[in-house]
Amino acid sequence: MSRVSLEGQVAVVTGAARGLGEQLARKLSARGACVALVGLEPDRLRRVAASLHEDAAHWHADVTDHEAVEQVAREVKARFGKVDVVVANAGVAAGGPFTGSDFASWRRVVEVNLVGSAVTGRAFLPVLAESRGYLLQVASLAAMAPAPMMSAYCASKAGVEAYAHCLRGEVAHKGVRVGVAYLSWTDTDMVRGADEYPVMREMRQRLPWPANRTYPLGPTADRLVDGIERRSAHVYGQAWLRLLQGSRGWLPGVLALGAQREMRRFDAGADATAGTGAGLVGAGGAADEKERTGA
């Protein structure tokens, strides 16, 4: 597919204070885009924005707050004059068996990952229609391959995938393209935070290759930016994920069979919730909890 140069384009990235969002902001800026960074950690956002190659600005906002995000959309348009690309990247995660999980954290994962993505789309689609722009929704391998101990994250990422596919048909006649990005385990604070819990770390290590690897952040972000330049409908952070699309009819059943064995092992003689943590994982999860509780 032909590429759209990012030179002079305006890109919005949510969850841009760290991890994939920060890396995408840097890669987009390096290719000539002006970047609007949106997230929860204003000091980090400020430092990232100040270090970018091109013009950049930052906004502190919770993506689940529709009034706040709509205000951000208005201010970004006023600041840069247009919006060409929006990357709905903000996300959090929690792990552990569903019946023993902290349900407030379970609900928050769905709120941030799914509802927050929808709030982002609602706020920015009007300005994307003006520029005939592109919305990239960050999903996950979790949308294709639901795994035990990850029910909130898998449900939220399957939801954002379906939402983005629906949206693609609704806005195409306005000249807006919509893409879905799929990533396997990537070296971010979220993944490192999950690995701090023995149950989650062991579960991931027992996945079949290549799903049990942690992939470097830089090349993953490069693939996503390439997809943005192509306005791709599907973008794969790791090339092998493309091959899974054809197996989605039978893959959940196979994973469920394997999960029975793993869950028996975790349940045997011990509480399966031990070592899974009670809240959102990683530094981004801590930032979200601080934002909500003020602690």
Side-chain angles (χ1 to χ4, degrees):
M1 295 177 63
S2 62
R3 293 177 181 254
V4 176
S5 172
L6 291 171
E7 193 74 34
Q9 299 245 302
V10 177
V12 177
V13 181
T14 67
R18 62 177 65 246
L20 179 64
E22 176 186 351
Q23 192 69 207
L24 286 172
R26 296 189 183 282
K27 301 285 188 180
L28 290 163
S29 178
R31 298 196 194 187
C34 301
V35 183
L37 299 91
V38 183
L40 292 181
E41 300 173 84
D43 290 340
R44 286 189 62 94
L45 290 168
R46 185 179 301 110
R47 288 195 295 270
V48 175
S51 69
L52 298 184
H53 295 273
E54 302 295 334
D55 190 14
H58 69 280
W59 280 264
H60 173 242
D62 179 340
V63 294
T64 67
D65 184 339
H66 70 276
E67 292 181 351
V69 179
E70 287 176 352
Q71 180 65 27
V72 169
R74 289 190 291 268
E75 292 181 6
V76 172
K77 169 71 182 302
R79 170 68 168 76
F80 293 104
K82 62 173 182 172
V83 174
D84 301 290
V85 174
V86 173
V87 183
N89 164 74
V92 294
F98 175 69
T99 54
S101 64
D102 171 24
F103 198 66
S105 296
W106 198 100
R107 183 192 299 268
R108 183 61 180 171
V109 171
V110 176
E111 288 174 348
V112 173
N113 297 1
L114 176 54
V115 178
S117 293
V119 167
T120 300
R122 289 267 295 194
F124 282 98
L125 278 170
V127 287
L128 286 176
E130 294 173 6
S131 65
R132 301 177 69 85
Y134 177 70
L135 171 67
L136 180 63
Q137 174 62 58
V138 176
S140 170
L141 167 62
M144 304 182 188
M149 304 282 196
M150 295 176 58
S151 60
Y153 192 75
C154 291
S156 68
K157 290 302 185 178
V160 297
E161 179 194 36
Y163 147 74
H165 287 327
C166 293
L167 196 60
R168 181 181 299 126
E170 292 185 20
V171 300
H173 69 287
K174 299 179 180 180
V176 179
R177 289 189 171 183
V178 178
V180 180
Y182 301 91
L183 287 76
S184 185
W185 305 92
T186 304
D187 188 18
T188 63
D189 292 312
M190 180 188 294
V191 170
R192 290 192 294 271
D195 277 349
E196 292 177 2
Y197 301 109
V199 169
M200 296 298 297
R201 184 173 62 250
E202 289 181 30
M203 181 276 296
R204 187 160 76 88
Q205 291 171 345
R206 289 175 179 270
L207 292 172
W209 183 89
N212 59 358
R213 285 189 55 198
T214 299
Y215 292 87
L217 182 56
T220 301
D222 282 330
R223 284 181 173 272
L224 267 60
V225 175
D226 288 343
I228 291 169
E229 289 186 332
R230 295 187 176 98
R231 303 297 197 255
S232 298
H234 300 90
V235 185
Y236 299 94
Q238 291 80 33
W240 61 269
L241 290 172
R242 185 187 302 272
L243 303 177
L244 285 187
Q245 290 286 18
S247 65
R248 296 181 67 167
W250 52 263
L251 186 58
V254 172
L255 290 171
L257 287 174
Q260 291 182 43
R261 181 179 64 253
E262 291 301 313
M263 293 310 298
R264 288 193 191 99
R265 190 177 67 83
F266 285 126
D267 282 344
D271 180 1
T273 64
T276 60
L280 304 178
V281 302
D288 184 87
E289 292 182 341
K290 181 179 179 181
E291 179 78 12
R292 288 181 292 120
T293 65

